[in-house]
Coordinates of all heavy atoms in Angstrom, one line a residue:
M14 N 107.3 55.2 82.9 CA 106.8 54.9 81.6 C 105.4 54.2 81.7 O 104.5 54.7 81.1 CB 107.8 54.0 80.9 CG 107.8 54.0 79.4 SD 108.6 55.3 78.6 CE 109.2 54.4 77.2
K15 N 105.4 53.1 82.4 CA 104.2 52.4 82.6 C 103.1 53.2 83.2 O 102.0 53.3 82.8 CB 104.5 51.1 83.4 CG 103.6 50.0 83.1 CD 104.0 48.7 83.7 CE 103.3 47.5 83.1 NZ 103.8 46.3 83.7
T16 N 103.5 54.0 84.2 CA 102.6 54.9 85.0 C 101.9 55.9 84.0 O 100.7 56.1 84.0 CB 103.3 55.6 86.1 OG1 104.0 54.7 86.8 CG2 102.3 56.3 87.0
T17 N 102.7 56.4 83.1 CA 102.3 57.4 82.2 C 101.2 56.8 81.3 O 100.1 57.4 81.1 CB 103.4 57.9 81.3 OG1 104.5 58.3 82.1 CG2 103.0 59.0 80.4
S18 N 101.4 55.6 80.9 CA 100.5 54.9 80.0 C 99.1 54.6 80.7 O 98.1 54.8 80.1 CB 101.1 53.6 79.5 OG 100.1 52.6 79.3
I19 N 99.2 54.3 82.0 CA 98.0 54.1 82.8 C 97.2 55.4 82.9 O 96.0 55.5 82.7 CB 98.3 53.5 84.2 CG1 98.8 52.0 84.0 CG2 97.1 53.6 85.1 CD1 99.3 51.4 85.3
F20 N 98.0 56.5 83.1 CA 97.3 57.8 83.3 C 96.6 58.2 82.0 O 95.5 58.6 82.0 CB 98.4 58.9 83.6 CG 98.4 59.1 85.1 CD1 99.6 58.9 85.8 CD2 97.3 59.6 85.8 CE1 99.6 59.1 87.2 CE2 97.4 59.8 87.1 CZ 98.5 59.6 87.8
S21 N 97.3 57.9 80.8 CA 96.7 58.2 79.6 C 95.4 57.5 79.4 O 94.4 58.0 78.9 CB 97.6 57.9 78.4 OG 98.8 58.5 78.6
T22 N 95.4 56.2 79.7 CA 94.2 55.3 79.6 C 93.1 55.9 80.5 O 92.0 56.0 80.0 CB 94.6 53.9 80.0 OG1 95.7 53.5 79.2 CG2 93.4 53.0 79.7
L23 N 93.4 56.3 81.7 CA 92.4 56.8 82.6 C 91.8 58.1 82.0 O 90.6 58.3 82.1 CB 93.0 57.1 84.0 CG 93.2 55.8 84.9 CD1 93.9 56.2 86.2 CD2 91.8 55.2 85.2
L24 N 92.7 58.9 81.5 CA 92.3 60.2 81.0 C 91.3 59.9 79.8 O 90.3 60.6 79.7 CB 93.5 61.0 80.5 CG 93.2 62.4 80.1 CD1 92.6 63.2 81.3 CD2 94.5 63.1 79.6
L25 N 91.7 59.0 78.9 CA 90.8 58.7 77.8 C 89.5 58.2 78.2 O 88.4 58.5 77.7 CB 91.5 57.7 76.9 CG 92.6 58.3 76.0 CD1 93.3 57.2 75.2 CD2 92.0 59.3 75.0
S26 N 89.5 57.3 79.3 CA 88.2 56.8 79.8 C 87.3 57.9 80.3 O 86.1 57.9 80.0 CB 88.5 55.8 80.9 OG 89.4 54.8 80.5
T27 N 88.0 58.8 81.0 CA 87.2 59.9 81.5 C 86.6 60.8 80.4 O 85.4 61.1 80.5 CB 88.1 60.8 82.4 OG1 88.8 60.0 83.3 CG2 87.3 61.9 83.1
L28 N 87.3 61.0 79.4 CA 86.8 61.8 78.2 C 85.7 61.0 77.6 O 84.7 61.6 77.2 CB 88.0 62.0 77.2 CG 89.0 63.1 77.7 CD1 90.1 63.2 76.7 CD2 88.3 64.4 77.8
A29 N 85.9 59.7 77.4 CA 84.8 58.9 76.8 C 83.5 59.0 77.5 O 82.4 59.0 77.0 CB 85.3 57.5 76.6
L30 N 83.6 59.0 78.9 CA 82.4 59.1 79.7 C 81.8 60.5 79.6 O 80.6 60.6 79.7 CB 82.8 58.8 81.2 CG 83.0 57.3 81.5 CD1 83.5 57.2 82.9 CD2 81.7 56.6 81.4
A31 N 82.7 61.5 79.5 CA 82.2 62.9 79.5 C 81.3 63.2 78.2 O 80.4 63.9 78.3 CB 83.3 63.8 79.5
V32 N 81.6 62.5 77.1 CA 80.9 62.8 75.9 C 79.4 62.5 76.0 O 78.6 63.4 75.7 CB 81.5 62.1 74.7 CG1 80.7 62.2 73.4 CG2 82.9 62.7 74.4
P33 N 79.0 61.3 76.4 CA 77.5 61.0 76.5 C 76.8 61.9 77.5 O 75.7 62.3 77.3 CB 77.5 59.6 77.0 CG 78.8 59.0 76.7 CD 79.8 60.1 76.7
L34 N 77.6 62.3 78.6 CA 76.9 63.2 79.5 C 76.6 64.6 78.9 O 75.6 65.1 79.1 CB 77.9 63.5 80.7 CG 78.0 62.3 81.7 CD1 79.0 62.6 82.8 CD2 76.6 62.0 82.3
N35 N 77.6 65.1 78.1 CA 77.3 66.3 77.4 C 76.2 66.2 76.4 O 75.3 67.1 76.3 CB 78.6 66.8 76.6 CG 79.6 67.3 77.5 OD1 79.3 67.8 78.6 ND2 80.9 67.3 77.1
T36 N 76.1 65.1 75.7 CA 75.0 64.9 74.8 C 73.7 64.9 75.5 O 72.7 65.5 75.0 CB 75.2 63.5 74.1 OG1 76.4 63.5 73.5 CG2 74.1 63.3 73.0
R37 N 73.6 64.3 76.7 CA 72.4 64.3 77.4 C 72.0 65.7 77.9 O 70.8 66.1 77.8 CB 72.5 63.4 78.7 CG 71.2 62.9 79.2 CD 71.4 61.9 80.3 NE 72.2 62.4 81.4 CZ 72.7 61.7 82.3 NH1 72.6 60.4 82.3 NH2 73.4 62.3 83.3
D38 N 73.0 66.5 78.3 CA 72.7 67.9 78.6 C 72.0 68.6 77.5 O 71.1 69.3 77.6 CB 74.0 68.6 79.0 CG 74.4 68.2 80.4 OD1 73.7 67.5 81.1 OD2 75.6 68.5 80.8
C39 N 72.6 68.3 76.3 CA 72.1 69.0 75.1 C 70.7 68.6 74.8 O 69.8 69.4 74.5 CB 73.0 68.6 73.9 SG 72.6 69.5 72.4
Q40 N 70.4 67.3 75.0 CA 69.0 66.8 74.7 C 68.0 67.4 75.7 O 66.8 67.5 75.4 CB 69.0 65.3 74.8 CG 69.6 64.7 73.5 CD 69.7 63.2 73.6 OE1 69.3 62.6 74.7 NE2 70.1 62.5 72.6
A41 N 68.5 67.8 76.9 CA 67.6 68.3 77.9 C 67.3 69.7 77.7 O 66.5 70.3 78.4 CB 68.1 68.0 79.3
Q42 N 67.9 70.4 76.7 CA 67.7 71.8 76.5 C 66.2 72.0 76.1 O 65.6 71.3 75.3 CB 68.6 72.2 75.3 CG 68.6 73.7 75.1 CD 69.4 74.1 73.8 OE1 69.8 73.2 73.1 NE2 69.5 75.4 73.6
N43 N 65.7 73.1 76.7 CA 64.3 73.4 76.4 C 64.2 74.3 75.2 O 64.7 75.4 75.2 CB 63.7 74.1 77.6 CG 62.2 74.4 77.4 OD1 61.6 73.9 76.5 ND2 61.6 75.1 78.4
L44 N 63.4 73.8 74.2 CA 63.3 74.6 72.9 C 62.1 75.6 73.0 O 61.9 76.4 72.1 CB 63.1 73.7 71.7 CG 64.3 72.7 71.5 CD1 64.0 71.7 70.5 CD2 65.6 73.5 71.2
Q45 N 61.3 75.5 74.0 CA 60.2 76.4 74.2 C 60.8 77.7 74.8 O 61.3 77.6 75.9 CB 59.2 75.8 75.2 CG 58.0 76.7 75.6 CD 57.2 77.2 74.5 OE1 57.5 78.2 73.9 NE2 56.1 76.4 74.1
T46 N 60.6 78.8 74.1 CA 61.2 80.0 74.6 C 60.2 80.9 75.3 O 60.6 81.9 75.9 CB 61.7 80.9 73.4 OG1 60.7 81.1 72.4 CG2 62.9 80.1 72.7
F47 N 58.9 80.6 75.3 CA 57.9 81.4 76.0 C 58.1 81.3 77.5 O 58.2 80.2 78.0 CB 56.5 81.0 75.6 CG 55.4 81.8 76.2 CD1 55.3 83.1 75.8 CD2 54.5 81.2 77.1 CE1 54.2 83.9 76.4 CE2 53.5 82.0 77.6 CZ 53.3 83.3 77.3
T48 N 58.1 82.5 78.2 CA 58.4 82.4 79.6 C 57.2 82.8 80.4 O 57.3 82.8 81.7 CB 59.6 83.4 79.9 OG1 59.3 84.7 79.4 CG2 60.9 82.9 79.3
G49 N 56.1 83.2 79.8 CA 54.9 83.5 80.6 C 54.4 82.3 81.4 O 54.5 81.2 80.9
A50 N 54.0 82.6 82.6 CA 53.6 81.4 83.5 C 52.6 81.9 84.5 O 52.9 82.0 85.7 CB 54.8 80.8 84.2
L51 N 51.3 82.1 84.1 CA 50.3 82.5 85.0 C 50.1 81.4 86.1 O 50.2 80.2 85.7 CB 48.9 82.6 84.3 CG 48.6 83.9 83.6 CD1 47.3 83.8 82.8 CD2 48.5 85.0 84.6
G52 N 50.0 81.8 87.3 CA 49.9 80.8 88.4 C 51.2 80.0 88.6 O 51.1 78.9 89.2
G53 N 52.3 80.4 88.0 CA 53.5 79.7 88.1 C 53.6 78.5 87.2 O 54.4 77.6 87.3
I54 N 52.6 78.4 86.3 CA 52.5 77.2 85.4 C 53.2 77.6 84.1 O 52.7 78.3 83.3 CB 51.1 76.8 85.1 CG1 50.4 76.5 86.4 CG2 51.0 75.6 84.2 CD1 48.8 76.5 86.3
A55 N 54.4 77.1 83.9 CA 55.2 77.4 82.7 C 54.7 76.4 81.5 O 54.1 75.4 81.8 CB 56.7 77.2 82.9
A56 N 55.0 76.9 80.3 CA 54.7 76.0 79.1 C 55.6 74.8 79.3 O 56.7 74.8 79.7 CB 55.0 76.8 77.8
T57 N 55.0 73.6 78.9 CA 55.7 72.4 79.0 C 57.0 72.4 78.2 O 57.0 72.9 77.1 CB 54.9 71.2 78.4 OG1 53.5 71.4 78.9 CG2 55.4 69.9 78.8
P58 N 58.1 72.0 78.8 CA 59.4 72.0 78.0 C 59.3 71.2 76.7 O 58.7 70.1 76.7 CB 60.4 71.4 79.0 CG 59.8 71.6 80.3 CD 58.3 71.5 80.1
V59 N 59.9 71.7 75.7 CA 60.0 71.0 74.4 C 61.5 70.6 74.3 O 62.4 71.4 74.3 CB 59.7 71.9 73.2 CG1 59.9 71.1 71.9 CG2 58.2 72.3 73.3
E60 N 61.7 69.3 74.3 CA 63.1 68.7 74.3 C 63.4 67.9 73.1 O 62.5 67.4 72.4 CB 63.3 67.9 75.6 CG 63.1 68.8 76.8 CD 63.1 68.0 78.1 OE1 62.9 66.8 78.1 OE2 63.3 68.7 79.2
N61 N 64.7 67.6 72.9 CA 65.1 66.7 71.9 C 64.8 65.3 72.3 O 65.3 64.9 73.4 CB 66.6 67.0 71.6 CG 67.2 66.2 70.5 OD1 66.6 65.1 70.1 ND2 68.2 66.6 69.9
S62 N 64.1 64.5 71.5 CA 63.7 63.2 71.9 C 64.9 62.2 71.7 O 64.8 61.1 72.3 CB 62.5 62.7 71.1 OG 62.9 62.5 69.8
G63 N 65.9 62.6 70.9 CA 66.9 61.6 70.6 C 66.5 60.7 69.4 O 67.3 59.8 69.0
N64 N 65.3 60.8 69.0 CA 64.8 59.9 67.9 C 64.8 60.8 66.6 O 64.1 61.8 66.5 CB 63.3 59.5 68.2 CG 62.6 58.7 67.1 OD1 63.1 58.7 65.9 ND2 61.5 58.1 67.4
A65 N 65.6 60.4 65.6 CA 65.8 61.2 64.4 C 64.5 61.4 63.6 O 64.3 62.4 63.0 CB 66.9 60.6 63.6
D66 N 63.6 60.4 63.7 CA 62.4 60.5 62.9 C 61.3 61.4 63.6 O 60.5 62.1 62.9 CB 61.7 59.1 62.8 CG 62.6 58.2 61.9 OD1 63.3 58.8 61.0 OD2 62.5 57.0 62.0
R67 N 61.4 61.4 64.9 CA 60.4 62.3 65.7 C 61.2 63.0 66.7 O 61.2 62.7 67.9 CB 59.3 61.5 66.3 CG 58.5 60.6 65.3 CD 57.4 59.8 65.9 NE 56.4 60.7 66.4 CZ 55.4 61.2 65.7 NH1 55.3 60.9 64.4 NH2 54.5 62.0 66.2
P68 N 62.0 64.1 66.3 CA 63.1 64.6 67.2 C 62.6 65.5 68.4 O 63.4 65.8 69.2 CB 63.9 65.4 66.2 CG 63.2 65.6 65.0 CD 62.0 64.6 65.0
F69 N 61.3 65.9 68.4 CA 60.9 66.8 69.4 C 59.9 66.1 70.4 O 59.0 65.4 70.0 CB 60.2 68.0 68.8 CG 61.1 68.7 67.8 CD1 60.9 68.5 66.5 CD2 62.2 69.5 68.2 CE1 61.8 69.1 65.5 CE2 63.0 70.0 67.3 CZ 62.8 69.9 66.0
S70 N 60.2 66.3 71.7 CA 59.4 65.6 72.7 C 58.8 66.6 73.7 O 59.4 67.6 74.1 CB 60.4 64.7 73.5 OG 59.8 64.2 74.7
V71 N 57.5 66.4 73.9 CA 56.7 67.2 74.9 C 56.1 66.3 75.9 O 55.1 65.6 75.5 CB 55.7 68.1 74.2 CG1 54.9 68.9 75.2 CG2 56.3 69.1 73.2
K72 N 56.6 66.2 77.1 CA 56.0 65.3 78.1 C 55.8 63.9 77.6 O 54.7 63.3 77.8 CB 54.7 65.9 78.6 CG 54.6 66.1 80.1 CD 53.2 66.5 80.5 CE 53.3 67.4 81.8 NZ 52.0 68.1 82.0
G73 N 56.8 63.4 76.9 CA 56.7 62.0 76.5 C 56.1 61.8 75.1 O 56.3 60.8 74.5
D74 N 55.4 62.8 74.6 CA 54.8 62.7 73.2 C 55.9 63.3 72.3 O 56.5 64.3 72.5 CB 53.5 63.5 73.1 CG 52.4 62.9 73.8 OD1 52.4 61.7 74.0 OD2 51.4 63.6 74.2
T75 N 56.1 62.6 71.1 CA 57.1 63.0 70.2 C 56.5 63.6 68.9 O 55.4 63.2 68.5 CB 58.1 61.9 69.8 OG1 57.3 60.8 69.3 CG2 58.9 61.4 71.0
F76 N 57.2 64.5 68.3 CA 56.7 65.2 67.1 C 57.8 65.3 66.0 O 59.0 65.3 66.3 CB 56.3 66.7 67.5 CG 55.2 66.7 68.5 CD1 55.5 66.6 69.9 CD2 53.9 66.7 68.1 CE1 54.4 66.6 70.8 CE2 52.8 66.7 69.0 CZ 53.1 66.7 70.4
V77 N 57.3 65.3 64.7 CA 58.2 65.4 63.6 C 58.7 66.8 63.4 O 59.8 66.9 62.8 CB 57.5 64.9 62.3 CG1 57.2 63.4 62.4 CG2 56.3 65.6 62.0
N78 N 58.0 67.8 63.8 CA 58.5 69.2 63.6 C 58.3 70.0 64.9 O 57.5 69.7 65.7 CB 57.9 69.8 62.4 CG 56.4 70.0 62.4 OD1 55.9 70.5 63.4 ND2 55.7 69.5 61.4
L79 N 59.1 71.0 64.9 CA 59.2 71.9 66.1 C 57.9 72.6 66.3 O 57.4 72.8 67.4 CB 60.4 72.8 66.0 CG 60.6 73.8 67.2 CD1 60.8 73.0 68.5 CD2 61.8 74.7 67.0
S80 N 57.3 73.1 65.2 CA 56.1 74.0 65.4 C 54.9 73.1 66.0 O 54.2 73.7 66.9 CB 55.6 74.6 64.1 OG 55.3 73.6 63.2
A81 N 54.8 71.9 65.6 CA 53.8 71.0 66.2 C 54.1 70.8 67.7 O 53.2 70.8 68.6 CB 53.7 69.7 65.5
A82 N 55.3 70.6 68.1 CA 55.7 70.4 69.5 C 55.5 71.6 70.3 O 55.0 71.6 71.4 CB 57.2 70.0 69.5
L83 N 55.8 72.8 69.7 CA 55.6 74.1 70.5 C 54.2 74.3 70.7 O 53.7 74.8 71.8 CB 56.3 75.2 69.7 CG 57.8 75.2 69.7 CD1 58.3 76.3 68.6 CD2 58.4 75.6 71.0
Q84 N 53.3 74.0 69.7 CA 51.9 74.2 69.9 C 51.4 73.3 71.0 O 50.5 73.7 71.8 CB 51.2 73.9 68.5 CG 49.7 74.3 68.5 CD 49.0 73.9 67.2 OE1 49.7 73.8 66.2 NE2 47.7 73.8 67.3
R85 N 51.8 72.0 71.0 CA 51.4 71.1 72.1 C 51.8 71.7 73.5 O 51.0 71.7 74.4 CB 52.0 69.7 71.9 CG 51.7 68.8 73.0 CD 50.2 68.5 73.2 NE 49.8 67.7 72.1 CZ 49.9 66.3 72.0 NH1 50.3 65.7 73.0 NH2 49.5 65.7 71.0
S86 N 53.0 72.2 73.5 CA 53.5 72.8 74.8 C 52.6 73.9 75.2 O 52.2 74.0 76.4 CB 54.9 73.3 74.5 OG 55.4 74.1 75.6
C87 N 52.2 74.8 74.3 CA 51.4 76.0 74.7 C 50.0 75.5 75.0 O 49.3 76.0 76.0 CB 51.2 76.9 73.5 SG 52.8 77.8 73.0
D88 N 49.5 74.4 74.4 CA 48.2 73.9 74.7 C 48.1 73.2 76.1 O 47.2 73.4 76.8 CB 47.8 72.8 73.6 CG 47.4 73.4 72.3 OD1 47.3 74.7 72.2 OD2 47.3 72.6 71.3
Q89 N 49.2 72.5 76.4 CA 49.3 71.9 77.7 C 49.3 73.0 78.8 O 48.7 72.8 79.9 CB 50.5 71.0 77.8 CG 50.3 69.7 77.0 CD 51.4 68.7 77.3 OE1 52.4 69.0 77.9 NE2 51.2 67.5 76.8
Q90 N 50.0 74.1 78.5 CA 50.1 75.2 79.5 C 48.7 75.8 79.7 O 48.2 76.0 80.8 CB 51.0 76.3 79.1 CG 51.1 77.4 80.0 CD 51.9 78.6 79.5 OE1 51.9 78.9 78.4 NE2 52.7 79.2 80.5
F91 N 48.0 75.9 78.6 CA 46.6 76.5 78.6 C 45.7 75.6 79.5 O 44.9 76.0 80.3 CB 46.0 76.7 77.2 CG 44.5 77.0 77.3 CD1 44.1 78.3 77.6 CD2 43.6 76.1 77.0 CE1 42.8 78.6 77.7 CE2 42.2 76.4 77.1 CZ 41.8 77.6 77.5
N92 N 45.8 74.3 79.2 CA 44.9 73.3 80.0 C 45.2 73.4 81.4 O 44.2 73.5 82.3 CB 45.1 71.9 79.4 CG 44.5 71.7 78.1 OD1 43.6 72.4 77.7 ND2 45.0 70.7 77.3
A93 N 46.4 73.4 81.8 CA 46.8 73.5 83.2 C 46.4 74.8 83.9 O 45.9 74.9 85.0 CB 48.3 73.2 83.4
C94 N 46.5 75.9 83.1 CA 46.2 77.2 83.5 C 44.7 77.3 83.7 O 44.2 77.8 84.7 CB 46.7 78.2 82.5 SG 46.3 79.9 82.8
A95 N 43.9 76.8 82.7 CA 42.4 76.8 82.8 C 41.9 76.0 84.0 O 41.0 76.4 84.7 CB 41.8 76.3 81.5
N96 N 42.6 74.9 84.2 CA 42.2 74.1 85.4 C 42.4 74.8 86.7 O 41.6 74.8 87.6 CB 43.0 72.8 85.5 CG 42.6 71.8 84.4 OD1 41.5 71.9 83.9 ND2 43.4 70.8 84.1
A97 N 43.5 75.6 86.8 CA 43.8 76.3 88.0 C 42.8 77.5 88.1 O 42.4 77.8 89.2 CB 45.3 76.9 87.9
A98 N 42.5 78.1 87.0 CA 41.6 79.3 87.0 C 40.2 78.8 87.5 O 39.6 79.4 88.3 CB 41.5 79.9 85.6
N99 N 39.7 77.6 86.9 CA 38.4 77.1 87.3 C 38.4 76.6 88.8 O 37.4 76.7 89.4 CB 38.1 75.9 86.4 CG 37.7 76.3 85.0 OD1 37.1 77.4 84.9 ND2 38.0 75.5 84.0
A100 N 39.6 76.1 89.3 CA 39.7 75.7 90.6 C 39.8 76.9 91.6 O 39.7 76.7 92.8 CB 40.9 74.8 90.8
G101 N 40.0 78.1 91.0 CA 40.2 79.3 91.8 C 41.5 79.4 92.6 O 41.5 80.0 93.6
T102 N 42.5 78.6 92.1 CA 43.8 78.6 92.9 C 44.6 79.8 92.5 O 45.7 80.0 93.1 CB 44.5 77.3 92.6 OG1 44.7 77.2 91.2 CG2 43.8 76.1 93.2
G103 N 44.2 80.6 91.5 CA 45.0 81.8 91.1 C 44.1 83.0 91.0 O 42.9 82.8 91.0
N104 N 44.7 84.2 90.9 CA 43.9 85.4 90.7 C 43.8 85.7 89.2 O 43.9 86.8 88.8 CB 44.5 86.6 91.5 CG 45.9 86.8 91.0 OD1 46.5 86.0 90.4 ND2 46.4 88.0 91.4
F105 N 43.5 84.6 88.4 CA 43.4 84.8 87.0 C 42.2 84.0 86.5 O 41.8 83.1 87.1 CB 44.7 84.5 86.3 CG 45.3 83.1 86.6 CD1 44.8 82.0 86.0 CD2 46.2 83.0 87.7 CE1 45.3 80.7 86.3 CE2 46.6 81.7 88.0 CZ 46.2 80.6 87.4
S106 N 41.8 84.4 85.3 CA 40.6 83.7 84.7 C 41.0 82.9 83.5 O 42.1 83.0 83.0 CB 39.6 84.8 84.2 OG 40.2 85.5 83.2
V107 N 40.1 82.1 83.0 CA 40.3 81.3 81.8 C 40.6 82.2 80.6 O 41.5 81.9 79.8 CB 39.1 80.4 81.5 CG1 39.3 79.6 80.2 CG2 38.9 79.4 82.6
A108 N 40.0 83.4 80.6 CA 40.3 84.3 79.6 C 41.8 84.8 79.6 O 42.4 85.0 78.6 CB 39.3 85.6 79.7
D109 N 42.3 85.0 80.8 CA 43.7 85.3 81.0 C 44.6 84.2 80.4 O 45.6 84.4 79.8 CB 44.1 85.5 82.5 CG 43.4 86.7 83.1 OD1 43.2 87.7 82.3 OD2 43.0 86.7 84.3
C110 N 44.1 82.9 80.7 CA 44.9 81.8 80.2 C 44.9 81.7 78.7 O 45.8 81.4 78.0 CB 44.3 80.5 80.7 SG 44.3 80.3 82.5
S111 N 43.7 82.1 78.1 CA 43.5 82.1 76.7 C 44.5 83.1 76.0 O 45.1 82.9 75.0 CB 42.1 82.4 76.3 OG 41.8 82.2 75.0
A112 N 44.6 84.3 76.7 CA 45.5 85.4 76.2 C 46.9 84.9 76.3 O 47.7 85.2 75.4 CB 45.3 86.6 77.0
Q113 N 47.2 84.2 77.3 CA 48.6 83.7 77.5 C 48.9 82.6 76.4 O 50.0 82.6 75.8 CB 48.7 83.0 78.9 CG 50.1 82.4 79.1 CD 50.3 81.8 80.5 OE1 51.0 82.3 81.3 NE2 49.6 80.7 80.8
Q114 N 47.9 81.8 76.1 CA 48.1 80.8 75.0 C 48.4 81.4 73.7 O 49.3 81.0 72.9 CB 46.8 79.9 74.9 CG 47.0 78.8 73.9 CD 45.7 78.0 73.8 OE1 44.6 78.5 74.0 NE2 45.8 76.7 73.4
T115 N 47.7 82.5 73.4 CA 47.9 83.3 72.2 C 49.3 83.8 72.2 O 50.0 83.8 71.2 CB 46.9 84.4 72.0 OG1 45.6 83.9 72.0 CG2 47.1 85.2 70.7
A116 N 49.7 84.4 73.3 CA 51.1 85.0 73.4 C 52.1 83.9 73.2 O 53.2 84.1 72.6 CB 51.2 85.7 74.8
C117 N 51.8 82.7 73.8 CA 52.8 81.6 73.7 C 52.9 81.2 72.2 O 54.1 81.0 71.8 CB 52.2 80.4 74.5 SG 53.2 78.9 74.6
G118 N 51.8 81.1 71.5 CA 51.9 80.7 70.1 C 52.7 81.8 69.3 O 53.4 81.4 68.4
A119 N 52.5 83.0 69.7 CA 53.1 84.1 68.9 C 54.6 84.3 69.2 O 55.4 84.8 68.4 CB 52.4 85.4 69.2
A120 N 55.0 83.7 70.4 CA 56.4 83.9 70.8 C 57.3 82.9 70.1 O 58.5 83.1 70.1 CB 56.5 83.6 72.3
N121 N 56.7 81.9 69.4 CA 57.6 80.9 68.8 C 57.6 81.1 67.3 O 56.8 81.7 66.7 CB 57.1 79.5 69.2 CG 57.3 79.2 70.7 OD1 58.5 79.2 71.1 ND2 56.3 79.0 71.4
Ligands
LIG214 C1 54.2 69.7 61.4 O1 53.6 68.4 61.6 C2 52.2 68.5 61.6 C3 51.7 67.1 61.9 O2 52.3 66.6 63.1 C4 51.7 68.9 60.3 O3 50.3 69.0 60.3 C5 52.3 70.3 59.9 O4 51.9 70.7 58.6 C6 53.8 70.2 60.0 N1 54.3 71.6 59.8 C7 55.4 71.8 59.1 C8 55.9 73.2 59.1 O5 56.0 70.9 58.6
LIG215 C1 47.9 88.2 90.8 O1 48.4 88.7 92.0 C2 49.8 89.1 91.9 C3 50.2 89.6 93.3 O2 49.6 88.9 94.3 C4 50.0 90.2 90.9 O3 51.3 90.6 90.8 C5 49.5 89.8 89.6 O4 49.5 90.8 88.6 C6 48.0 89.3 89.7 N1 47.6 88.7 88.4 C7 46.5 89.0 87.8 C8 46.2 88.3 86.5 O5 45.6 89.7 88.3

């Protein structure tokens, strides 16, 4: 009898711990759907910030709406892509990065 009660308590504690973990997984979901990645540089993930007033987060910056966050994500990808193109680390040009940025904006 007593053992059963302890087991129930343990089970409930485990469930209580599991809920915040699931919530965190959910917040880490990437809302940026564009998959193009010239030079292996993907668009910055857009995540749930957990802040109801500014729910969208892009590399630490938060936004009130998803479209602004997605645009920042595409802009950051373009900047990193253009830097790589200028540095000559990839077989692509800044114009390729610009086309990718347009595709990124159109994908969302
Ligand atoms: C999203 O927020 C930006 C400012 O951060 C604003 O300029 C834009 O109009 C907003 N767009 C929508 C669809 O609410
Ligand atoms: C870059 O090179 C890879 C293979 O090395 C090729 O698959 C890709 O299409 C090239 N990209 C551009 C923009 O030329």
